[in-house]
Amino acid sequence: MTGVITRLLQLAVTLFVWRSIFATRPEIQGYTVDEMSAYLVLTALMSILFSSSHFFRLSDLVRKGTLSAYLVRPYSFLGDSLAVFLGSKVVEVTVIAGALLLLRASGAPVLEHASPAVLALLCSNLLLSFLVGSVVGALSFWLVEMWPIKPLYASLMALLGGTTFPLDLLPPAIGHVVQATPFALFGFVNTRALQGALSSREIAAYLAVSVLWNAACAGLYQLLWRRGLKRYEAVNG
């Protein structure tokens, strides 16, 4: 609840700042004040779905020494974590879907040209969010304190994820690089896809980038898991 209130306050401040900027000009690089407001509301919704709450499950188990109870089960810890992750997203997805439908009914540019490709992109990015969290969580085998990761993730989402400004306002040379990061996929890309602002070619390109990131994070997680597990078993017997 505290996290939701914090995000609402951040959204209110961001909207106020942008409306102040638009008071001196009617349009900024193709964005009107209404389009910018709709974009910021959507990225705020995406930040709820793509939060860092699942990053710390493994670290809690390692810190308490209770990971061993999961290691003897006849299924992988990653699969167990994925089931927990998806279960935790049911309510969030339902609420966000309802909010999107309300925005659509009010005439906001949302769910324009929705297609199976957009759904595939969103699902791939959600899986990537889980895998990024799994990689970060695996670092708990070596890191004593994990709490700084939460504000760091929030800062990266603000700067690279487009939760405070659309990334296409950046110079092209910088924007193209930033838009290929997982943070941009979680915020800016998802939002523009839901707004119908991406062409079929752009959606396919972002989906390919998302799949590559998924593969890279899955491989990195397996490496960290194997090495971290040896360290954990050495310490805990």
Side-chain angles (χ1 to χ4, degrees):
M1 187 62 182
T2 303
V4 173
I5 294 175
T6 300
R7 288 188 180 91
L8 289 175
L9 290 174
Q10 291 172 342
L11 174 61
V13 171
T14 306
L15 286 171
F16 175 78
V17 171
W18 275 108
R19 286 186 174 275
S20 299
I21 295 173
F22 274 102
T24 61
R25 63 190 76 178
E27 187 176 290
I28 299 176
Q29 291 187 222
Y31 286 90
T32 64
V33 63
D34 290 336
E35 289 171 339
M36 182 64 74
S37 297
Y39 170 86
L40 293 172
V41 170
L42 280 175
T43 55
L45 292 174
M46 289 299 101
S47 70
I48 294 174
L49 185 60
F50 291 83
S51 68
S52 61
S53 58
H54 63 289
F55 284 23
F56 309 102
R57 181 174 185 248
L58 178 56
S59 65
D60 289 341
L61 295 175
V62 171
R63 178 171 50 83
K64 296 175 182 176
T66 55
L67 178 61
S68 302
Y70 291 85
L71 300 179
V72 298
R73 296 181 180 181
Y75 47 82
S76 72
F77 179 79
L78 186 64
D80 181 84
S81 296
L82 179 59
V84 172
F85 172 78
L86 293 177
S88 70
K89 296 300 177 182
V90 172
V91 175
E92 293 177 3
V93 169
T94 302
V95 171
I96 290 173
L100 291 176
L101 291 175
L102 287 175
L103 288 171
R104 175 70 172 169
S106 67
V110 176
L111 301 178
E112 299 283 348
H113 312 295
S115 67
V118 171
L119 180 60
L121 177 61
L122 292 173
C123 290
S124 180
N125 288 340
L126 189 61
L127 177 61
L128 177 59
S129 174
F130 165 73
L131 289 172
V132 168
S134 298
V135 168
V136 172
L139 296 176
S140 60
F141 287 118
W142 293 273
L143 299 179
V144 177
E145 296 291 343
M146 295 287 289
W147 65 264
I149 291 175
K150 191 169 186 177
L152 175 61
Y153 178 82
S155 300
L156 290 173
M157 281 296 294
L159 293 173
L160 305 179
T163 59
T164 53
F165 63 91
L167 297 180
D168 49 8
L169 296 183
L170 293 171
I174 299 175
H176 290 156
V177 175
V178 172
Q179 289 173 37
T181 65
F183 307 102
L185 293 172
F186 299 158
F188 172 77
V189 172
N190 284 336
T191 298
R192 297 303 280 162
L194 289 171
Q195 288 184 309
L198 301 179
S199 66
S200 298
R201 189 172 183 177
E202 288 174 318
I203 292 173
Y206 282 125
L207 180 57
V209 171
S210 180
V211 170
L212 289 174
W213 273 115
N214 272 303
C217 288
L220 180 57
Y221 169 80
Q222 291 298 335
L223 176 64
L224 293 173
W225 173 259
R226 287 194 297 269
R227 294 189 177 183
L229 204 56
K230 291 179 181 178
R231 176 183 174 87
Y232 177 81
E233 291 174 342
V235 173
N236 293 274

